Amino acid sequence: MADERKQQLNDAFYTEEVSSVLDKMETTLDGLSTSEVNKRLEDYGHNQLDEGKKKSWLSKFGDQFKDFMIIILLVAAVLSFAMGDRVEAIMIIVVVMIMAIFGVIQEAKAEEAIEALKDMSTPNANVKRDKTTKVIKSNELVPGDIVLLEAGDVIPADMRLIEAASLKIEEAALTGESVPVEKDISVLTNEDIGIGDRINMAYMNSNVTYGRGIGVVIGTGMHTEVGKIANMLAQADETNTPLKENLNKLGKVLSIVILAICVIMFGIGMLRGGTSWIDMLLTSVSLAVAAIPEGLPAIVTIILALGTQKMAKRNALVRKLPAVETLGSTDIICSDKTGTLTLNQMTVEEVFSNNETIEAEETIALDNQTLKIMTFCNDTKISDDGTLIGDPTETALVKYGMDHGLNVADALGKEPRVAEIPFDSDRKLMTTVHKQLDGKFLIAVKGAPDELLKRCSFYDVNGEIKPMTKEQQDLILSNNTNMAKQALRVLAMAYQVAESAPVTLESESVERELIFSGLIGMIDPERKEAADAVKVAKGAGIRPVMITGDHRDTAEAIAVRLGIINEGQHDAVITGGELNEMSDEELANRIEQYSVYARVSPEHKVRIVKAWQQDGKVVAMTGDGVNDAPALKTADIGIGMGITGTEVSKGASDMVLADDNFSTIVIAVEEGRKVFSNIQKTVQYLLAANLGEVLTLFIATMMGWDTLLPVHLLWINVVTDTFPAIALGLEPAEKGVMNLKPRGRSSDLFSGGVLSSIVYQGILEAGITLGVYLFAISHPVHSGYDAIHADALTMSYATLGLIQLFHAFNVKSVHDSLFKVGAFRNKTFNYAVLLSFALLAATIVVPGFNDVFRVENLDIYQWLLVFGASFSIIPIVEIVKFVQRKTLYK
């Protein structure tokens, strides 16, 4: 029987009569007995989400060493240690350990998504058990429990409603729709409808904003809609970021190049003869180790960390380091509408009163009758600090009055409410009765325009009451239609003045012979800065896509106002129901057609993100609700909302917007593009330097010259690779970075001319260094073989180090002139170069150091030669860049 009931938890209960649901759940309106609850707790478990399998810290730490670049570094460390270069081996190990610790910390943060889902459950629930009402912990609920609901409650489990009295439930966290849903118990005939349209259901973690109700629990824990989302989160695959893919690719390329160097070096050495195969093997391995940019992964991490600090100052809080760079490659921004593109608060947009339209920002008279009715016929509570508490639609009406100078609390104090007829979904009206200062009674009515207009026999124009005519009705309906076309939610206001308070509070006797006063058009408005941000995003080649649980018309209207689609572009809008008719393959083929997705479920959001990814696009997804979490985790970069976002959405995100502002995403994209550009510069700088070192050693060895010692290469790599490389990460963005198209998935760290620059610049460094060595041998300052070769070795060591420092200026831009990007505008870079030069020169000029490094002091003539030769790389590269700009990149 328990298995049968578990199977029934997947039934579409919204298509069944209440009696049928009660029978299936084997319960009654009086609730379950304590003994039956205990049995069901054993069958179903507690009403909480599964934690899922957790990795141990040791397991997480071990996973970090599966990265290809890390494996290459570990191999380099072993080889260095085997050859006696223990300092270098230790440095590599330290770098790897730091990176692994970073990875473990980031992975631990990602697990907060499931934990946040678990913590969202309400602490208590009012249930009927043993024929009495009890307050229990919500995690003790079982299917079949009868739960009582009232305004302010958080729904503790999924349930089919069996009673609903003016019940409204706000489901934004699940559906993305900002307007509370009016609930009733009528049976729905269509099984294939979204969560937002299931008006006889109440779902876990949604909020009761108005009225009261009773429901029978049909799903607990992982069998709830929130549970399904938790399961989707647990099963969602982690998406490899473009940066991680690039670094893996770089590692593979380097491994092939390094292996080729070893083989070639060993083969040529053996062919030349005169050296044992063991010595030649050690020389080859030493050369290969020199080719590995040991500091690159750590420097990339530092650049990303510096990028996170910059972004944090601009309200973009990065939770996962690679997300910084991923933003820069973004092709598509899939944005949730409510709270991201819009304010997530209903706002009065337009008022039709006295037969004229008043825009929200225009002045309205404080004695306007429509203004009075909208604030009087209203259940909003005004706290002492001015905070408005109540249904979002009603608070919007009061806020409009307060914003236009009306002291609502004072007005209600003078003309207090003495009676009311609450709203209900059948008549779609609400009425309040107020005693006026003159002793008469104001009957204020608000509701659906079509229903209210049926009860209006008169209309008010500037205090003049006139009989309702066909022309006036047409004018009112015309304005109602115009507002509806703008996706505004329209309410009508009417009133009547009576000599005495109504004796019987019934709709038929009170809500009749009314005087029509006006129409109110409301909407959750777009953020003012969002439209500008959409324009900038489009200019940067990024396509903004809106995904929302709202109705099609509302979504389309907001998208047009934001500039996401054009007026009349109806075929760019698709609903969740239409998505259900498509296969994944069909959606992937047609994905380019759609820019707005309405009435979608969490499963739809994941499908949409995956379809764009199959199209080869790098996808960013924004969201603030529980329903957004699976898509946030699936996207290349998930962006949560810091203010309105649930802890679930924040936990599943790679980045959180502290100000919930779509425009902050565009700012972050610019920072991301800058970060990638700077990482490219760092890669270009480091690999050109390493190639220069490898070629210098290779050619010198083949020529039988005295080669640089391991300690020389180690110090050059420590000094020149570290400080300038990190400082390059702080380079300001180049002009026009947001006018470029996204580079997408196809590009890598070598694209855009970086690879060719590495090759020719590495050859230049080696050529200049070997040229200085040869010149020093041919034109010695001292006599004697040992002194001549010691001078030549020292000069080539100083040149190889110094040429890399000068070359750091070249890589400030791959193609633009150094004079255009600004040679000295990055002060941190300037100091880094000076520090590196001081540390390099110290090994030559400071007594004691030169003995350790086996170098000699140089005279002025030799230093001038070293400086001149090293500096020559700047004008040479400038000439090459000039030719490239005039030929290849014009």
Side-chain angles (χ1 to χ4, degrees):
M1 188 62 70
D3 290 337
E4 185 179 339
R5 282 201 303 261
K6 282 187 178 179
Q7 183 63 39
Q8 289 170 353
L9 294 183
N10 297 317
D11 288 356
F13 288 105
Y14 46 87
T15 63
E16 299 186 25
E17 294 286 352
V18 170
S19 57
S20 173
V21 176
L22 293 173
D23 288 342
K24 281 191 173 183
M25 301 313 298
E26 298 181 25
T27 188
T28 67
L29 293 175
D30 292 326
L32 301 171
S33 65
T34 300
S35 59
E36 180 63 21
V37 168
N38 291 333
K39 289 179 185 177
R40 296 193 184 191
L41 276 174
E42 290 182 12
D43 292 339
Y44 298 103
H46 282 81
N47 180 30
Q48 59 192 28
L49 301 177
D50 292 344
E51 294 185 26
K53 293 181 180 179
K54 287 189 175 182
K55 290 183 180 180
S56 66
W57 280 92
L58 188 61
S59 175
K60 291 176 188 174
F61 191 75
D63 287 345
Q64 307 305 314
F65 295 90
K66 295 177 182 178
D67 186 275
F68 196 83
M69 196 69 182
I70 297 296
I71 294 171
I72 292 293
L73 289 177
L74 290 174
V75 171
V78 171
L79 292 174
S80 296
F81 192 83
M83 295 184 61
D85 294 337
R86 296 184 179 181
V87 175
E88 183 165 347
I90 291 170
M91 286 178 61
I92 294 173
I93 294 298
V94 168
V95 166
V96 169
M97 294 298 286
I98 290 172
M99 291 173 63
I101 292 170
F102 260 109
V104 171
I105 291 172
Q106 296 299 333
E107 188 175 333
K109 287 182 178 179
E111 290 180 353
E112 292 173 5
I114 299 295
E115 289 297 321
L117 271 169
K118 183 184 173 188
D119 293 341
M120 280 184 67
S121 56
T122 56
N124 295 311
N126 295 311
V127 300
K128 286 184 179 181
R129 285 185 182 173
D130 300 319
K131 297 184 179 181
T132 62
T133 301
K134 298 180 179 180
V135 179
I136 65 167
K137 293 287 185 183
S138 64
N139 65 353
E140 296 173 4
L141 282 174
V142 295
D145 263 325
I146 304 298
V147 179
L148 282 66
L149 303 171
E150 59 184 28
D153 286 351
V154 177
I155 307 296
D158 286 4
M159 56 186 74
R160 168 68 158 89
L161 295 171
I162 56 180
E163 282 187 26
S166 303
L167 182 65
K168 293 184 183 181
I169 298 178
E170 186 265 303
E171 299 175 333
L174 276 170
T175 67
E177 186 171 0
S178 53
V179 178
V181 180
E182 297 174 12
K183 298 290 184 177
D184 64 43
I185 64 171
S186 58
V187 176
L188 302 175
T189 56
N190 184 8
E191 286 192 21
D192 188 23
I193 57 175
I195 293 174
D197 295 318
R198 299 173 192 172
I199 59 174
N200 58 15
M201 300 290 290
Y203 291 104
M204 186 178 188
N205 294 138
S206 53
N207 302 283
V208 180
T209 63
Y210 193 87
R212 58 181 178 80
I214 299 176
V216 55
V217 175
I218 54 91
T220 58
M222 296 301 288
H223 293 286
T224 62
E225 290 296 326
V226 171
K228 292 177 185 177
I229 293 172
N231 191 48
M232 290 170 66
L233 274 174
Q235 294 179 2
D237 295 328
E238 288 291 340
T239 307
N240 256 0
T241 66
L243 178 61
K244 190 172 182 180
E245 292 173 356
N246 275 323
L247 289 175
N248 284 340
K249 183 177 180 180
L250 175 59
K252 290 173 184 176
V253 170
L254 283 176
S255 64
I256 294 170
V257 170
I258 290 165
L259 183 62
I261 289 171
C262 283
V263 172
I264 294 170
M265 183 79 169
F266 181 79
I268 293 176
M270 293 307 296
L271 288 174
R272 284 181 67 253
T275 307
S276 69
W277 70 270
I278 294 178
D279 288 340
M280 201 64 239
L281 178 63
L282 290 174
T283 301
S284 301
V285 171
S286 176
L287 191 62
V289 171
I292 298 174
E294 298 93 343
L296 179 59
I299 290 169
V300 167
T301 300
I302 291 169
I303 291 173
L304 292 175
L306 293 171
T308 65
Q309 293 177 15
K310 284 273 189 77
M311 293 167 104
K313 292 176 181 177
R314 305 183 78 175
N315 294 315
L317 311 176
V318 176
R319 297 182 64 250
K320 299 176 184 178
L321 287 180
V324 180
E325 180 277 333
T326 306
L327 273 167
S329 59
T330 299
D331 296 288
I332 308 293
I333 299 178
C334 293
S335 179
D336 181 51
K337 177 186 76 69
T338 307
T340 311
L341 293 168
T342 64
L343 295 171
N344 194 22
Q345 59 183 48
M346 291 301 291
T347 304
V348 174
E349 181 100 345
E350 200 171 283
V351 176
F352 174 72
S353 182
N354 297 321
N355 279 355
E356 62 181 15
T357 299
I358 305 169
E359 299 296 336
E361 64 275 6
E362 294 177 5
T363 302
I364 187 170
L366 294 181
D367 61 354
N368 182 287
Q369 193 69 14
T370 304
L371 180 64
K372 185 174 185 178
I373 296 167
M374 75 168 78
T375 52
F376 274 37
C377 186
N378 198 307
D379 285 333
T380 298
K381 300 291 186 290
I382 305 174
S383 63
D384 294 338
D385 62 357
T387 302
L388 303 180
I389 303 167
D391 182 272
T393 299
E394 294 200 323
T395 58
L397 298 175
V398 173
K399 187 175 189 305
Y400 175 81
M402 295 171 68
D403 288 346
H404 286 78
L406 179 65
N407 189 326
V408 178
D410 184 57
L412 284 168
K414 293 176 181 177
E415 299 184 17
R417 181 188 302 189
V418 295
E420 64 184 276
I421 305 177
F423 172 89
D424 70 55
S425 55
D426 290 331
R427 75 184 207 286
K428 297 181 179 178
L429 300 174
M430 173 185 177
T431 297
T432 57
V433 181
H434 300 262
K435 186 173 183 179
Q436 299 185 130
L437 294 174
D438 59 4
K440 294 180 181 181
F441 291 84
L442 171 70
I443 299 172
V445 188
K446 81 169 188 292
D450 53 343
E451 292 296 326
L452 190 56
L453 203 54
K454 294 174 186 177
R455 302 169 187 246
C456 291
S457 302
F458 308 92
Y459 67 98
D460 182 347
V461 178
N462 295 315
E464 184 181 350
I465 311 302
K466 301 179 181 180
M468 183 64 72
T469 61
K470 177 68 168 56
E471 291 76 17
Q472 181 63 26
Q473 277 192 343
D474 289 343
L475 178 63
I476 294 169
L477 291 173
S478 174
N479 277 273
N480 179 43
T481 301
N482 289 337
M483 289 184 184
K485 285 181 178 178
Q486 299 174 58
L488 300 182
R489 188 184 186 203
V490 187
L491 287 177
M493 306 292 151
Y495 71 99
Q496 189 184 88
V497 177
E499 294 295 329
S500 60
V503 178
T504 57
L505 293 172
E506 295 179 352
S507 175
E508 291 75 12
S509 59
V510 177
E511 297 169 343
R512 57 186 295 275
E513 298 293 318
L514 299 174
I515 304 166
F516 178 83
S517 177
L519 300 173
I520 309 295
M522 290 175 290
I523 199 169
D524 176 14
E526 74 278 12
R527 290 177 176 271
K528 292 180 180 178
E529 62 280 359
D532 291 334
V534 166
K535 187 176 181 180
V536 172
K538 284 187 169 183
I542 301 169
R543 181 170 178 173
V545 171
M546 179 194 289
I547 303 178
T548 178
D550 263 348
H551 290 280
R552 182 184 192 124
D553 291 344
T554 305
E556 183 175 342
I558 291 293
V560 169
R561 289 162 63 150
L562 286 167
I564 292 175
I565 60 175
N566 299 322
E567 186 79 44
Q569 198 178 346
H570 306 300
D571 59 350
V573 185
I574 187 172
T575 64
E578 292 168 324
L579 279 175
N580 289 335
E581 303 297 320
M582 288 187 188
S583 66
D584 288 343
E585 183 179 359
E586 187 180 0
L587 176 60
N589 291 334
R590 298 173 60 182
I591 193 71
E592 295 275 358
Q593 176 183 338
Y594 306 113
S595 293
V596 180
Y597 299 83
R599 301 307 276 172
V600 295
S601 68
E603 293 86 353
H604 291 141
K605 294 183 179 185
V606 173
R607 283 186 67 197
I608 293 164
V609 169
K610 286 185 175 179
W612 279 114
Q613 289 173 331
Q614 288 174 23
D615 197 39
K617 301 295 191 292
V618 177
V619 183
M621 170 73 192
T622 76
D624 61 352
V626 176
N627 61 324
D628 298 316
L632 289 171
K633 193 172 182 182
T634 302
D636 295 286
I637 176 165
I639 305 171
M641 302 295 112
I643 300 173
T644 59
T646 60
E647 290 305 311
V648 183
S649 61
K650 293 177 191 175
S653 300
D654 303 295
M655 185 179 86
V656 176
L657 303 182
D659 57 357
D660 285 14
N661 196 329
F662 183 84
S663 63
T664 302
I665 302 172
V666 178
I667 292 170
V669 167
E670 181 179 1
E671 185 66 29
R673 290 188 174 189
K674 185 192 80 174
V675 164
F676 180 80
S677 175
N678 288 347
I679 290 174
Q680 266 196 320
K681 293 169 186 175
T682 300
V683 168
Q684 179 185 343
Y685 172 67
L686 292 176
L687 294 189
N690 282 35
L691 178 60
E693 293 170 9
V694 167
L695 290 176
T696 299
L697 280 176
F698 181 81
I699 294 171
T701 302
M702 293 301 98
M703 296 296 291
W705 298 343
D706 288 345
T707 59
L708 296 171
L709 301 172
V711 69
H712 295 153
L713 293 178
L714 177 60
W715 189 249
I716 288 173
N717 285 343
V718 169
V719 170
T720 64
D721 284 9
T722 305
F723 304 117
I726 293 173
L728 281 171
L730 293 173
E731 281 292 301
E734 293 183 45
K735 290 181 180 179
V737 70
M738 288 301 283
N739 295 328
L740 303 174
K741 289 184 178 180
R743 63 180 186 280
R745 291 190 184 279
S746 59
S747 68
D748 55 36
L749 292 168
F750 294 122
S751 61
V754 172
L755 180 59
S756 59
S757 296
I758 289 172
V759 173
Y760 89 79
Q761 289 163 7
I763 293 172
L764 263 179
E765 290 189 20
I768 294 170
T769 301
L770 291 169
V772 168
Y773 181 89
L774 188 60
F775 186 86
I777 293 290
S778 305
H779 302 80
V781 174
H782 301 97
S783 58
Y785 179 85
D786 291 340
I788 292 172
H789 279 266
D791 282 353
L793 187 63
T794 302
M795 290 173 69
S796 60
Y797 161 63
T799 301
L800 187 58
L802 194 57
I803 201 172
Q804 292 181 16
L805 296 181
F806 280 118
H807 182 54
F809 287 91
N810 286 325
V811 300
K812 282 174 173 278
S813 177
V814 179
H815 304 298
D816 285 335
S817 169
L818 173 61
F819 304 103
K820 181 179 178 181
V821 298
F824 303 107
R825 65 173 179 164
N826 182 352
K827 292 182 180 179
T828 304
F829 177 83
N830 300 336
Y831 294 138
V833 170
L834 290 174
L835 175 62
S836 295
F837 172 70
L839 292 172
L840 179 68
T843 60
I844 299 173
V845 300
V846 176
F849 275 17
N850 46 20
D851 293 331
V852 173
F853 284 84
R854 301 179 194 175
V855 292
E856 301 293 329
N857 277 315
L858 301 177
D859 61 23
I860 296 296
Y861 168 76
Q862 291 170 318
W863 272 116
L864 287 174
L865 181 62
V866 167
F867 266 97
S870 302
F871 180 79
S872 68
I873 196 169
I874 290 181
I876 294 172
V877 170
E878 281 291 308
I879 292 169
V880 174
K881 285 183 182 180
F882 177 79
V883 173
Q884 288 177 332
R885 289 195 300 273
K886 293 297 182 183
T887 56
L888 300 177
Y889 305 107
K890 62 180 180 180

